[in-house]
């Protein structure tokens, strides 16, 4: 079973250091609450999307 660290811990590290499960989990979570995100949340969500795209290109 994969352990997904909470956002408090992850926010203190580079998104490139997140594991794939964490990126996927928070992408789904942010996607669900997108209409309610403030500017900071939208910025984090954009970074998650960019990280997903970066990882897909490196495959």
């Amino acid at each position: 079973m994969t352990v997904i660290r909470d956002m408090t811990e992850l926010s203190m590290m580079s998104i490139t250091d997140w594991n794939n499960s964490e990126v996927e989990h928070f992408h789904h979570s942010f996607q669900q609450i997108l209409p309610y995100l403030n500017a900071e949340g939208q910025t984090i969500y954009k970074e998650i999307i960019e990280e997903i795209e970066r990882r897909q290109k490196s495959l």
Side-chain angles (χ1 to χ4, degrees), residues 5-16:
R5 296 171 283 189
D6 68 20
M7 184 56 80
T8 303
E9 182 177 351
L10 292 173
S11 66
M12 293 184 245
M13 57 194 312
S14 171
I15 195 167
T16 59

Side-chain angles (χ1 to χ4, degrees), residues 27-51:
H27 175 263
H28 179 75
S29 296
F30 276 64
Q31 192 175 41
Q32 298 297 310
I33 61 169
L34 185 61
Y36 308 104
L37 292 177
N38 62 14
E40 183 179 1
Q42 290 175 10
T43 299
I44 295 168
Y45 184 52
K46 181 180 176 188
E47 291 171 357
I48 291 170
I49 292 170
E50 290 170 351
E51 180 62 17

Side-chain angles (χ1 to χ4, degrees), residues 23 46-59:
V23 173
K46 181 180 176 188
E47 291 171 357
I48 291 170
I49 292 170
E50 290 170 351
E51 180 62 17
I52 290 170
E53 292 171 347
R54 186 191 69 74
R55 291 181 188 201
Q56 287 175 345
K57 287 180 184 176
S58 67
L59 290 179

